[in-house]
Amino acid sequence: MEYSNDENLLDEGNFDREVIIKGLNDSQKEAVTSPLQNMLIVAGAGTGKTRVLVSRIAWLINVEGIYPRNILAVTFTNKAANEMRERIGQMVGNTAKTQLWASTFHSVCLRLLRSYAQYADLKPGFTVLDTDAQTALVRRIMKDKNMDTKDLKPSEVACRISSLKEKGIRALEFSKSMRSRTDVFFDEVSSVYTAYERLCNQENSVDFSELLLRTVELLERNDEIRNLQHRRFKEILIDEFQDTNSIQFKFAKLMTGPDSHVLVVGDDDQSIYGWRGADYTNMERFISEFPNVKQILLSLNYRSYQKILDMANTIINDNTDRLMKKVLKGNIGEGEDVEIINCATNSLETEFVGSTIRMLKDQGEKLSDIAILYRNNYLSLGFEQKLTQRNIPFIIYGGQKFFERAEILDALAYLRILVNEDDDTAVLRIINVPARKIGPKVVADLRAISSERHCSILKAIALLEFYANSENADKALKTLYKKVEPFYSLIKELKAFKKNAPLSKLTQHMLSVTGLNDFYQAKDEKEGRSSEGNSRFGNLGVLVSNVKDFEEALNNQSLSEGEVLENALTFDDPLLTYLSNITLVSTGELNEDGSNGAPVCDAVNMMTIHSSKGLEFKYVFLVGFESGILPSSRSEGNCSEERRLAYVGITRAKKQLYITYARARNIFGNTQISGASQFLRDIVRKYNESDSKPYIIRKA
DNA sequence: ATGTTCCTTCTTTTT
DNA sequence: GAAGGAACAT
């Protein structure tokens, strides 16, 4: 954010209509310059959809004269939101950039809920439960109900609660719903859901899906707040619309006023999150439920050579449930054959990929132009080894996230308590971490008090302190208090410290006085973790520097006339601001080592096909293209989503695509013989007669 | 209350 | 083949 005023002036209003539409093709132009109205843009892979979206926003501001603060742009990841904001800033200037809301569904909802907390029955510092905390809470409930956690796992119940919420179904409604004969666990899920809802309210916590559901209910119920949004957001733009679920659709509808317009961009062929509740038929629903929707199709692909696109077109053509059939047409020429590599074993496959990448590097290619894409995370291991052997650096995206590591969650739990003292989930996580002789018995006693008094655990301890110190105190209470006293003093001390200390000092102080630093340092030693990414203690250090960076950004921000922080979530309390941001901004934003920003050196990209969506690479290795893996053996009923996944993988490649498969693969110790994916066999069958095939099959 | 050992699990994961 | 639970022993 170090722009001088002069640059700012140069920036402003530099893009008039000619500049905005320069270089766009006809359908792109139509999308960008269309008069204000509801629009559905169907954008095939690589057809310049982000560019259209950004140009449209620039057009709205500079040509239509819409105020940036009246525009809401919704994306699915924070990364996408930030990117969009940056690009808009470049086109229309930084003032506009900061006034525009560009964020994820969840961030928008969190913002609304924080501002209208009281109207949504929430107390100001409410906690946003991440998946881990949500599961912990469900596990606690199931344990309390003496449920068997073997047949029905807490994580599964948590998942089902989330998907119910995503359909807008509350516990009460669910309990009254028709008992489906197929659902053997109906009673269990229903009773856990009911308790879960009650506890979340008591603990002043909301989970990810609750952010949406609570906001939707608030908007439905409260005319005033809803009208306020209608007056504010005149133009709403939603990216990746094929990935919206039903609550998000509802949210979009509620946010749209009678004189507002919504523009959605999506590609039904790239819908790969159906298993999470995403419903690409929302694109059809949009046409029928929003008035006068103008439809625009983008199918000119700027990314890949035609042979790659032919492969993609052929695969996706087999899907019978497509909303709009589109054929990707490129404009940069035929290109090289797609190479299909038939490998005898998975180690020959990894060997092939390793040596080919070595060759590309020797030819002077940048490693960052190369990607290895796989269906399952566990497939990455072999490639890691082969690349390491050849001294080729790589970055693995995904896998365990920094903010999902146990040590980080512990540290954050301590911090959460300081913002939301009702957060029992956080308290229970760390009340005995590091071990301070508070075992199940003590915890059970504390929880007995808290449920008797209908209060949080910390409140229960406060009550306990009062009674234990009163004159004719019960002996049992006294001993109980003695056991939790050190923990309670610790929390009191941290609370007092927080009042006068900046965020980073507080974090450092917390890590040392709680004993987390020592605890994890000792643990590292015992487990022989010393390398950089491996050390848990080291990760705590990374957390401190992350907090420091954040604090600095926050301070710089407040210096420049109260501008809103780029991530668009600021609250009075810096700690609350930090926590709010990391729970919704954490994943994928940090590198493996916890640093943010560009990787240290040129490296091969490794990731799942899912996480490659929206990205492109000059060279793509699509590996493990076998039956049982792609399509996954677990997705029997839903082959078309797997086919779309293959389609997404193929369309990531710009110049050269390698598809590899192993006839025999070692998985978890035992060898499986599966052979080429049916998708591949379908393609080969189709081109069998033809003498111009877009691919060549080789043996490795 | 805590340390040990066995046993299960092993898609994908924007928030 | 490794990691996280759960059950069991100390």
Side-chain angles (χ1 to χ4, degrees):
Chain A
M1 288 297 292
E2 285 142 52
Y3 300 105
S4 77
N5 282 334
D6 290 350
E7 275 173 36
N8 240 327
L9 283 176
L10 276 177
D11 257 2
E12 299 290 341
N14 200 10
F15 278 69
D16 61 11
R17 56 169 65 212
E18 302 313 321
V19 187
I20 292 172
I21 57 175
K22 201 175 146 205
L24 298 180
N25 67 39
D26 287 348
S27 17
Q28 290 177 327
K29 229 177 262 177
E30 199 189 348
V32 170
T33 62
S34 191
L36 300 181
Q37 63 187 308
N38 291 326
M39 272 200 275
L40 167 69
I41 300 174
V42 179
T47 56
K49 128 198 114 121
T50 312
R51 179 158 180 210
V52 166
L53 215 41
V54 170
S55 308
R56 173 66 177 176
I57 294 175
W59 182 270
L60 290 175
I61 296 171
N62 282 6
V63 180
E64 294 286 352
I66 306 280
Y67 291 116
R69 53 165 282 114
N70 293 325
I71 299 175
L72 172 64
V74 186
T75 60
F76 271 81
T77 65
N78 291 288
K79 206 171 150 211
N82 291 335
E83 251 172 53
M84 186 178 292
R85 219 193 325 264
E86 280 314 309
R87 286 174 68 168
I88 291 165
Q90 282 165 19
M91 287 185 99
V92 297
N94 288 302
T95 319
K97 182 176 94 176
T98 49
Q99 286 172 2
L100 172 101
W101 269 30
S103 54
T104 63
F105 278 104
H106 291 83
S107 295
V108 177
C109 291
L110 178 57
R111 247 194 171 194
L112 292 174
L113 288 180
R114 290 257 189 244
S115 353
Y116 305 118
Q118 72 217 44
Y119 303 101
D121 299 320
L122 287 164
K123 284 184 259 173
F126 66 85
T127 298
V128 178
L129 297 173
D130 57 33
T131 316
D132 199 275
Q134 183 191 22
T135 310
L137 179 50
V138 169
R139 178 177 293 118
R140 201 165 96 213
I141 293 166
M142 292 177 74
K143 285 265 155 82
D144 286 350
K145 290 178 178 288
N146 286 320
M147 280 183 185
D148 181 26
T149 52
K150 239 180 184 168
D151 288 346
L152 184 64
K153 277 174 288 182
S155 56
E156 203 203 316
V157 179
C159 218
R160 287 174 59 165
I161 290 175
S162 279
S163 44
L164 284 168
K165 288 189 184 188
E166 276 157 18
K167 293 186 193 112
I169 302 171
R170 286 282 180 203
L172 184 65
E173 190 188 336
F174 183 61
S175 69
K176 286 183 193 159
S177 66
M178 291 283 285
R179 292 169 179 232
S180 128
R181 265 182 304 148
T182 53
D183 187 359
V184 262
F185 293 119
F186 179 91
D187 291 327
E188 284 88 344
V189 174
S190 174
S191 101
V192 174
Y193 190 7
T194 308
Y196 177 82
E197 227 173 36
R198 205 190 58 238
L199 275 174
C200 280
N201 289 333
Q202 189 186 310
E203 296 182 16
N204 198 23
S205 301
V206 296
D207 60 35
F208 287 141
S209 358
E210 183 72 28
L211 284 171
L212 265 303
L213 180 52
R214 190 70 71 111
T215 308
V216 160
E217 287 172 349
L218 175 69
L219 292 171
E220 275 174 338
R221 206 175 44 211
N222 193 314
D223 298 346
E224 209 170 314
I225 293 175
R226 192 180 59 245
N227 289 334
L228 216 59
Q229 309 313 313
H230 292 177
R231 258 173 277 146
R232 163 137 199 206
F233 296 114
K234 293 301 173 202
E235 299 299 320
I236 299 175
L237 303 95
I238 306 175
D239 197 6
E240 307 275 16
F241 200 70
Q242 77 282 351
D243 287 336
T244 51
N245 59 32
S246 88
I247 198 83
Q248 286 161 338
F249 189 91
K250 215 167 182 182
F251 172 75
K253 248 184 130 171
L254 280 162
M255 289 289 279
T256 310
D259 58 347
S260 310
H261 307 104
V262 182
L263 178 155
V264 306
V265 186
D267 179 6
D268 51 317
D269 289 333
Q270 291 186 75
S271 157
I272 52 176
Y273 288 102
W275 52 276
R276 273 178 66 145
D279 182 3
Y280 65 87
T281 62
N282 277 347
M283 293 169 72
E284 276 181 330
R285 250 185 99 188
F286 180 74
I287 301 170
S288 60
E289 294 186 28
F290 284 71
N292 307 320
V293 175
K294 175 170 178 177
Q295 292 184 57
I296 291 168
L297 176 71
L298 306 179
S299 59
L300 183 59
N301 176 292
Y302 292 91
R303 179 184 293 157
S304 318
Y305 285 109
Q306 192 60 44
K307 288 192 176 184
I308 294 169
L309 296 178
D310 286 346
M311 287 289 275
N313 287 328
T314 310
I315 274 204
I316 203 70
N317 195 41
D318 281 343
N319 267 5
T320 50
D321 50 0
R322 300 170 79 191
L323 295 184
M324 5 247 157
K325 295 220 169 190
K326 46 193 170 304
V327 179
L328 292 178
K329 185 83 187 69
N331 71 344
I332 55 171
E334 282 293 298
E336 302 292 318
D337 281 337
V338 171
E339 293 202 23
I340 298 174
I341 315 294
N342 172 346
C343 312
T345 64
N346 57 314
S347 74
L348 282 173
E349 181 194 38
T350 51
E351 184 62 32
F352 167 81
V353 173
S355 59
T356 309
I357 290 178
R358 177 80 251 174
M359 189 191 78
L360 289 170
K361 187 177 193 296
D362 292 344
Q363 288 170 3
E365 297 292 344
K366 277 197 321 204
L367 294 179
S368 57
D369 282 331
I370 303 171
I372 304 175
L373 308 181
Y374 34 81
R375 176 66 177 83
N376 305 335
N377 274 312
Y378 65 75
L379 289 171
S380 71
L381 205 79
F383 299 97
E384 292 171 47
Q385 288 162 351
K386 288 282 157 64
L387 292 179
T388 310
Q389 278 171 19
R390 292 184 166 78
N391 266 324
I392 300 171
F394 55 86
I395 305 170
I396 298 176
Y397 293 86
Q400 200 188 19
K401 309 287 184 335
F402 181 75
F403 283 100
E404 286 167 12
R405 291 166 191 266
E407 62 276 19
I408 301 303
L409 292 177
D410 288 342
L412 294 178
Y414 277 105
L415 294 177
R416 288 224 162 91
I417 292 171
L418 303 179
V419 174
N420 175 14
E421 52 183 27
D422 295 325
D423 192 340
D424 286 358
T425 303
V427 170
L428 291 171
R429 181 183 178 99
I430 46 74
I431 195 166
N432 199 32
V433 178
R436 45 176 79 92
K437 298 188 189 300
I438 300 178
K441 179 75 177 67
V442 176
V443 171
D445 288 347
L446 289 176
R447 291 186 57 204
I449 300 176
S450 84
S451 63
E452 190 184 313
R453 298 295 179 113
H454 301 288
C455 68
S456 69
I457 291 187
L458 278 184
K459 190 82 207 297
I461 298 177
L463 286 171
L464 182 63
E465 180 191 32
F466 177 78
Y467 287 117
N469 289 335
S470 67
E471 274 182 26
N472 43 3
D474 188 287
K475 202 165 178 199
L477 286 183
K478 272 195 159 160
T479 37
L480 182 61
Y481 182 65
K482 225 179 191 152
K483 285 185 180 155
V484 293
E485 200 268 335
F487 171 73
Y488 192 49
S489 319
L490 181 66
I491 298 299
K492 281 199 283 196
E493 198 271 334
L494 284 174
K495 267 194 174 164
F497 193 91
K498 174 174 180 276
K499 287 206 177 93
N500 310 311
L503 186 52
S504 58
K505 285 274 174 303
L506 171 68
T507 311
Q508 278 170 316
H509 181 71
M510 179 274 295
L511 288 174
S512 93
V513 295
T514 56
L516 279 182
N517 267 340
D518 293 344
F519 176 70
Y520 277 114
Q521 206 164 14
K523 209 165 183 180
D524 280 343
E525 223 158 281
K526 215 164 75 184
E527 292 170 2
R529 293 170 188 263
S530 50
S531 64
E532 271 186 38
N534 207 6
S535 155
R536 294 174 186 274
F537 171 63
N539 286 334
L540 292 175
V542 174
L543 178 68
V544 173
S545 35
N546 183 261
V547 170
K548 272 187 183 153
D549 289 348
F550 185 85
E551 191 170 46
E552 213 166 285
L554 206 57
N555 289 339
N556 288 340
Q557 209 68 53
S558 54
L559 286 178
S560 57
E561 309 173 33
E563 264 184 23
V564 188
L565 190 76
E566 301 251 330
N567 281 327
L569 278 168
T570 39
F571 311 107
D572 291 342
D573 180 356
L575 178 56
L576 180 60
T577 307
Y578 179 70
L579 291 173
S580 297
N581 276 280
I582 55 152
T583 30
L584 294 182
V585 181
S586 57
T587 41
E589 303 277 288
L590 292 182
N591 295 331
E592 282 298 290
D593 58 356
S595 66
N596 46 18
V600 216
C601 61
D602 188 36
V604 174
N605 301 284
M606 294 176 58
M607 68 192 83
T608 61
I609 306 173
H610 278 92
S611 36
S612 75
K613 199 177 67 163
L615 305 176
E616 55 178 34
F617 304 94
K618 202 165 162 190
Y619 297 93
V620 167
F621 293 84
L622 200 46
V623 303
F625 216 92
E626 291 145 38
S627 57
I629 293 181
L630 187 65
S632 163
S633 51
R634 299 205 170 200
S635 66
E636 291 153 16
N638 198 359
C639 233
S640 52
E641 180 148 316
E642 296 289 310
R643 206 177 271 110
R644 291 193 291 270
L645 197 51
Y647 175 81
V648 168
I650 291 170
T651 52
R652 298 310 98 195
K654 285 156 61 168
K655 182 163 192 279
Q656 177 74 63
L657 171 65
Y658 302 87
I659 296 177
T660 66
Y661 66 92
R663 299 196 300 278
R665 175 175 300 274
N666 224 308
I667 300 175
F668 305 127
N670 35 344
T671 306
Q672 283 180 12
I673 313 264
S674 34
S677 160
Q678 60 175 82
F679 300 154
L680 218 43
R681 294 204 298 267
D682 289 344
I683 288 188
V684 171
R685 199 178 312 122
K686 219 153 280 171
Y687 282 101
N688 213 4
E689 309 281 285
S690 162
D691 37 49
S692 66
K693 303 180 171 76
Y695 59 85
I696 173 175
I697 303 179
R698 295 201 287 137
K699 284 202 173 185

